[in-house]
Amino acid sequence: MSTTTSKKIAIVTGASSGIGYAITKELAQHDYIIYACARRLEPIQPLVDEFSTSIIKPYKLDISIIDEVVAFKEFLEKELPGQKLDLLYNNAGQSCTFPALDVSDANMQKCFQVNVFGHVNMCRELSKYLINAKGTIVFTGSLAGIVSFPFGSIYSATKAAIHAYARGLHLEMKPFGVRIINAVTGGVDTNISDTRPLPEGSIYEFPEGKEAFEGRQRMAKNHHPMSAEVYAKKLMGDILSSRDPVDVYRGTMATFLGFVSLFVPYCILEFALIKKFHLTKVFKVLKERNAQGKKQD
């Protein structure tokens, strides 16, 4: 049953670690009540212990399952004072670091279900609560949605999709006074990095290819990522601000690469990516293999 409260109410998905955990803590420090949603609730317990169950309310939720999203909406129907939700922070994410031709259907579907469909479903199902409160919706976007890094095409596609959705939603929610923030995120120190090996039989399954692939997996850790706590403080500033810019650039290299992507021709950007990720040797091996294959034919 709902209770009367003057505190603002927030929902954070993917609250069990990284950005979601840090955002949940930051919101609690700013006097919000937070429904901290995640597939695993045990990692959220330290926040419950620190702030109490009246502030941090863990809720087991897999946003990739529509029935669970609908059940959460029905739960909130009885929980939310005045049927109002001040903040929906769509943070849950799924990594997918594989060469474009190696991504299995199952991995592709899971990535889109979490990174795109889950957030869209959350926004649709909870929209009336946000409209009632003239609230704010935040998405954890990514530089990968602007620059398609090597071995990350599917993840980039999901982030590009959510960027486009956020911008369309921003326009359509204007009459209702609901703000939309798409946090185009650069390097942040989280555990989302994909550590799965190259699939067996990959066209990159040779020493130079494996080296480049493993280097891509370590990309965030190797470039002085911003701490999740600092990132959360910056996003808290965006949430509390009256500005309504749609896209904000947060995290290591976010502003710089966002600027570069706008003004540098893609052919130059692609050349820089080849150099940055040591793909010259990889391409040489592949070209030699291809040439030998043609000779044999």
Side-chain angles (χ1 to χ4, degrees), residues 40-86:
R40 298 179 301 113
L41 299 184
E42 294 83 1
I44 301 173
Q45 190 58 43
L47 290 179
V48 177
D49 295 338
E50 182 176 354
F51 292 100
S52 84
T53 54
S54 63
I55 300 298
I56 307 290
K57 298 177 177 292
Y59 187 95
K60 186 175 175 60
L61 176 65
D62 184 342
I63 67 166
S64 70
I65 301 174
I66 182 59
D67 289 347
E68 291 195 16
V69 174
V70 172
F72 184 44
K73 172 191 176 180
E74 293 171 351
F75 167 79
L76 292 173
E77 190 82 29
K78 301 175 182 179
E79 282 280 308
L80 292 179
Q83 302 290 283
K84 292 182 179 181
L85 175 62
D86 298 285

Side-chain angles (χ1 to χ4, degrees), residues 97-99 102 150-151 196-199 202-218 277-287 289:
T97 304
F98 292 110
D102 290 333
F151 309 123
R196 290 172 289 185
L198 276 171
S202 170
I203 58 173
Y204 290 93
E205 197 175 13
F206 53 91
E208 294 85 353
K210 288 181 178 179
E211 182 182 353
F213 177 72
E214 291 167 1
R216 167 64 178 85
Q217 289 181 316
R218 297 190 300 269
F277 291 95
H278 307 292
L279 295 176
T280 304
K281 292 186 295 182
V282 176
F283 289 179
K284 181 181 179 181
V285 171
L286 291 172
K287 287 178 180 179
R289 287 186 174 184

Side-chain angles (χ1 to χ4, degrees), residues 58-255:
Y59 187 95
K60 186 175 175 60
L61 176 65
D62 184 342
I63 67 166
S64 70
I65 301 174
I66 182 59
D67 289 347
E68 291 195 16
V69 174
V70 172
F72 184 44
K73 172 191 176 180
E74 293 171 351
F75 167 79
L76 292 173
E77 190 82 29
K78 301 175 182 179
E79 282 280 308
L80 292 179
Q83 302 290 283
K84 292 182 179 181
L85 175 62
D86 298 285
L87 175 67
L88 171 59
Y89 203 114
N90 291 299
N91 170 70
Q94 174 73 42
S95 60
C96 190
T97 304
F98 292 110
L101 300 182
D102 290 333
V103 181
S104 69
D105 184 66
N107 286 334
M108 177 177 64
Q109 286 197 29
K110 185 62 175 178
C111 197
F112 271 92
Q113 284 170 350
V114 176
N115 295 356
V116 183
F117 306 148
H119 300 319
V120 172
N121 289 336
M122 287 287 286
C123 289
R124 183 189 63 248
E125 295 300 324
L126 305 186
S127 59
K128 71 174 183 179
Y129 307 133
L130 289 151
I131 290 170
N132 289 344
K134 296 186 184 299
T136 299
I137 300 173
V138 181
F139 297 92
T140 300
S142 175
L143 281 176
I146 298 173
V147 179
S148 190
F149 297 104
F151 309 123
S153 59
I154 295 300
Y155 181 77
S156 288
T158 66
K159 289 302 183 179
I162 210 64
H163 289 190
Y165 176 74
R167 291 162 187 161
L169 191 64
H170 179 268
L171 174 64
E172 294 177 14
M173 295 300 275
K174 277 184 176 294
F176 303 102
V178 176
R179 296 169 64 227
I180 310 297
I181 299 172
N182 178 42
V184 183
T185 303
V188 179
D189 191 8
T190 71
N191 61 358
I192 194 173
S193 297
D194 205 330
T195 58
R196 290 172 289 185
L198 276 171
E200 187 175 347
S202 170
I203 58 173
Y204 290 93
E205 197 175 13
F206 53 91
E208 294 85 353
K210 288 181 178 179
E211 182 182 353
F213 177 72
E214 291 167 1
R216 167 64 178 85
Q217 289 181 316
R218 297 190 300 269
M219 180 180 73
K221 296 292 183 183
N222 290 343
H223 290 84
H224 309 291
M226 179 182 289
S227 73
E229 291 74 21
V230 170
Y231 178 92
K233 290 184 184 299
K234 290 180 178 293
L235 259 297
M236 195 70 233
D238 295 319
I239 292 166
L240 295 176
S241 171
S242 60
R243 297 186 308 112
D244 191 23
V246 188
D247 294 336
V248 297
Y249 293 80
R250 300 289 179 257
T252 301
M253 298 294 287
T255 302

